[in-house]
Amino acid sequence: MSQAPRIAVIGAGPSGLYTAEALLKENPDVTVDVIDRLPAPYGLVRYGVAPDHLKMKSVIRALVTTFDDAARVRFLGNVRVGEDGIPGDVLREHYHAVVYASGSSVDRRLGVPGEDLPGNFGSGAFVSWYCGHPDSTRLAPDLSHPGAVVVGAGNVALDVARVLARPAQDLAGTDAHDEVVDALAASAVTDVHVVIRRGPQHVKFTPAELRQIGKLDDVEVLVHDDGVLAAGVAEPAERRMRQNLQMLTEWIENPPGAGGSRRIHLHFLRSPVRVLGERSVTGIELVHNTLDAEKVRATDRHEELDAGIVVRAIGYAGEPIPGLPFDEGTGTVPHESGRVMVGDEPVAGSYVAGWIKRGPTGVIGTNKGDGAETAASVLADLPGLAAPVHPDRDSILERLREFDVEPVDWESWLRVDAEEIRLGEQRGGTERVKIAERDAMLKAAVSTGRPR
Ligand SMILES: Cc1cc2nc3c(=O)[nH]c(=O)nc-3n(C[C@H](O)[C@H](O)[C@H](O)COP(=O)(O)OP(=O)(O)OC[C@H]3O[C@@H](n4cnc5c(N)ncnc54)[C@H](O)[C@@H]3O)c2cc1C
Ligand SMILES: NC(=O)c1ccc[n+]([C@@H]2O[C@H](COP(=O)([O-])OP(=O)(O)OC[C@H]3O[C@@H](n4cnc5c(N)ncnc54)[C@H](OP(=O)(O)O)[C@@H]3O)[C@@H](O)[C@H]2O)c1
């Protein structure tokens, strides 16, 4: 290979940044451009991790070091790749290899009547709203009703339930932007109903997250399990499931936060069959389930819960990438060790990492080994990959201009970062306040303020 290897990583979330880090570390000749459709890096660490999980956000201190070697790695933010953006084959003209680390941003659907009524949200959209994602600033959920429903038994369901139930003043000390803090402060929600299709022995929560809802100020947690726990359930093999079960069993006897002015209800063995309402959501109809050899079976017992919003936190799927194969069932791109595959044949120069590769599960750290695996495949293949048509590393910047795209580079992002820190100082008691609107981010990116 005559030209120094140039690699594009699409997505500046954890998997993209861990892949870039591994590429730069393992091969001193490689240069990397990390491209993201947003003007800000960090993917779901910035736009998924709940605002009150401040410690979790400190992982950014590790992720940011990927950009330390400014001569070899660039950030090209505000550049969408694929549909309505820069086509993948254009990128292939500028890079030896393209790694897609674009995550899983599509909300899965329940497939029940009423799901499209206003007031019904996928967790992706709802979480994006409270995390200040530029695409969700106009969501404006109506929080004027005392009831709210969250469907699902994973950590995202707990995040949403916690944000809706906890006192809004707790969020003032976080990076949540003012509109969100104000909307939650004005919220009339008193009862958050978490609807779980299987039993207490099956929930996917991590025990630390479950414990956290039991410790919220002024919030009572009530377990509705139709007597399943009292009748006794077989002890799960997995430690975290045993811990969850133990906690839930204790909570039946002693509900944490008893007498609190808000409540989180955990309803087990119930599935949504219809979202109720004419012009907007007014509630949800559930069917009670039984378990038959661990399989969920619907009974003929139905129940209705009143609610002004329904948030389904039932998982995600990736968006297909034009020109690459896609598995609709899993919402992922077929691969072997990160190499995109059509049947038994790798698609030369195309790779995947993170959620688009392995599906929407796993914590931030899971993406480190995953990114390292993909990076190893790229580096092993490099000698056989076709050189880019354009020999100059900066040719991509010219090309982006042809598409009318002016990327937000690392210096520009640091200006946004500095402005958010300034807004945090202004509010007081918080490290930063996010700028949510894309235009305001872009304005801060070109301001004359010096990055810190
Ligand atoms: C709501 C929520 C909360 C979570 N909270 C935690 C937590 O507290 N702790 C924890 O350990 N894990 C948490 N996780 C899991 C963790 O966030 C994921 O494991 C991780 O973010 C997946 O990384 P990724 O890089 O594959 O995807 P993402 O983080 O989604 O990053 C994908 C990036 O690709 C960009 N992109 C997408 N499409 C394009 C395109 N066409 N062109 C250019 N760029 C594009 C996106 O803008 C994004 O920046 C949470 C997940 C969710 C959904
Ligand atoms: N603090 C943290 O560490 C943190 C925070 C947020 C997210 N995360 C991670 O991010 C990943 C994604 O989280 P997640 O909560 O989206 O996914 P998840 O853990 O896979 O949970 C999805 C839940 O949706 C339920 N579900 C799926 N389809 C359903 C349907 N049709 N009807 C009713 N329920 C349905 C599933 O039930 P079944 O079990 O019955 O299938 C499951 O309980 C996870 O790995 C999670 O741990 C971590």
Side-chain angles (χ1 to χ4, degrees):
M1 178 182 308
S2 52
Q3 291 177 34
R6 299 205 302 265
I7 296 158
V9 174
I10 314 307
S15 64
L17 296 184
Y18 284 131
T19 305
E21 181 190 46
L23 288 166
L24 294 161
K25 183 167 160 242
E26 298 302 329
N27 184 328
D29 299 325
V30 154
T31 62
V32 177
D33 285 345
V34 180
I35 299 176
D36 203 290
R37 71 185 189 85
L38 297 175
Y42 310 129
L44 286 169
V45 180
R46 183 175 157 95
Y47 291 120
V49 172
D52 57 345
H53 275 177
L54 291 170
K55 257 200 209 146
M56 196 61 80
K57 298 213 176 234
S58 63
V59 73
I60 285 178
R61 281 187 215 123
L63 293 175
V64 73
T65 60
T66 308
F67 292 99
D68 279 354
D69 190 350
R72 295 174 61 213
V73 59
R74 299 187 292 198
F75 175 59
L76 305 179
N78 206 32
V79 179
R80 185 179 172 88
V81 173
E83 214 167 313
D84 303 327
I86 311 302
D89 47 2
V90 166
L91 290 180
R92 287 286 289 114
E93 292 175 12
H94 295 265
Y95 299 96
H96 289 82
V98 180
V99 179
Y100 291 89
S102 46
S104 309
S105 58
V106 178
D107 282 311
R108 288 204 179 272
R109 291 174 63 84
L110 285 165
V112 300
E115 202 169 1
D116 293 316
L117 280 171
N120 217 316
F121 306 103
S123 55
F126 194 77
V127 168
S128 291
W129 170 70
Y130 68 62
C131 285
H133 190 295
D135 291 353
S136 287
T137 51
R138 309 259 180 273
L139 196 80
D142 178 1
L143 303 177
S144 62
H145 190 287
V149 166
V150 182
V151 184
N155 285 327
V156 174
L158 282 187
D159 278 351
V160 172
R162 197 180 65 250
V163 166
L164 283 169
R166 81 177 307 161
Q169 66 263 26
D170 293 0
L171 293 181
T174 72
D175 64 9
H177 66 299
D178 291 344
E179 285 81 352
V180 168
V181 177
D182 292 349
L184 290 168
S187 164
V189 173
T190 53
D191 289 82
V192 181
H193 301 277
V194 183
V195 173
I196 299 165
R197 65 180 170 184
R198 294 195 287 160
Q201 66 276 42
H202 302 115
V203 287
K204 292 189 171 146
F205 312 140
T206 43
E209 312 310 315
L210 185 59
R211 198 169 299 114
Q212 197 188 359
I213 63 160
K215 290 190 171 160
L216 297 177
D217 273 352
D218 201 26
V219 177
E220 181 169 8
V221 182
L222 294 151
V223 176
H224 308 272
D225 73 330
D226 295 343
V228 168
L229 287 167
V233 293
E235 207 171 66
E238 223 182 295
R239 183 160 171 264
R240 75 175 173 139
M241 290 182 137
R242 283 201 303 277
Q243 289 177 324
N244 286 334
L245 195 58
Q246 194 187 354
M247 228 179 302
L248 292 165
T249 308
E250 284 168 18
W251 288 1
I252 293 245
E253 290 292 317
N254 292 307
S261 65
R262 291 183 178 191
R263 286 155 294 279
I264 294 177
H265 303 262
L266 301 176
H267 299 272
F268 290 98
L269 290 165
R270 285 149 171 91
S271 292
V273 288
R274 175 188 305 275
V275 179
L276 305 169
E278 285 185 5
R279 279 197 296 274
S280 64
V281 170
T282 56
I284 194 160
E285 180 185 341
L286 307 174
V287 65
H288 285 235
N289 299 322
T290 55
L291 284 172
D292 178 2
E294 303 288 298
K295 279 224 158 73
V296 173
R297 299 231 184 279
T299 66
D300 53 11
R301 190 173 155 205
H302 286 230
E303 174 186 8
E304 288 182 8
L305 298 173
D306 289 338
I309 60 167
V310 171
V311 181
R312 47 181 204 281
I314 59 168
Y316 302 88
E319 256 186 285
I321 297 164
L324 293 189
F326 192 70
D327 180 336
E328 293 287 348
T330 59
T332 58
V333 172
H335 75 98
E336 265 178 30
S337 304
R339 295 178 178 92
V340 175
M341 302 293 288
V342 175
D344 291 338
E345 286 299 312
V347 179
S350 295
Y351 300 82
V352 280
W355 278 18
I356 190 68
K357 168 185 176 188
R358 58 169 212 279
T361 59
V363 293
I364 294 162
T366 319
N367 300 293
K368 186 159 187 166
D370 179 307
E373 180 193 62
T374 297
S377 296
V378 175
L379 295 177
D381 296 351
L382 267 180
L385 293 177
V389 177
H390 301 277
D392 175 9
R393 189 180 175 213
D394 283 343
S395 61
I396 185 65
L397 304 177
E398 291 299 320
R399 199 67 187 272
L400 293 178
R401 267 173 221 127
E402 284 170 25
F403 284 88
D404 217 11
V405 172
E406 194 58 52
V408 169
D409 63 13
W410 190 247
E411 280 279 298
S412 308
W413 154 248
L414 290 180
R415 284 192 199 96
V416 182
D417 187 50
E419 177 59 7
E420 291 190 341
I421 293 168
R422 195 189 65 75
L423 292 172
E425 283 164 4
Q426 208 172 54
R427 192 198 271 170
T430 177
E431 205 174 291
R432 75 173 58 237
V433 170
K434 269 190 207 149
I435 303 174
E437 294 283 352
R438 187 183 287 263
D439 284 351
M441 291 179 86
L442 295 178
K443 201 170 152 210
V446 296
S447 75
T448 50
R450 284 185 61 75
R452 297 188 178 207

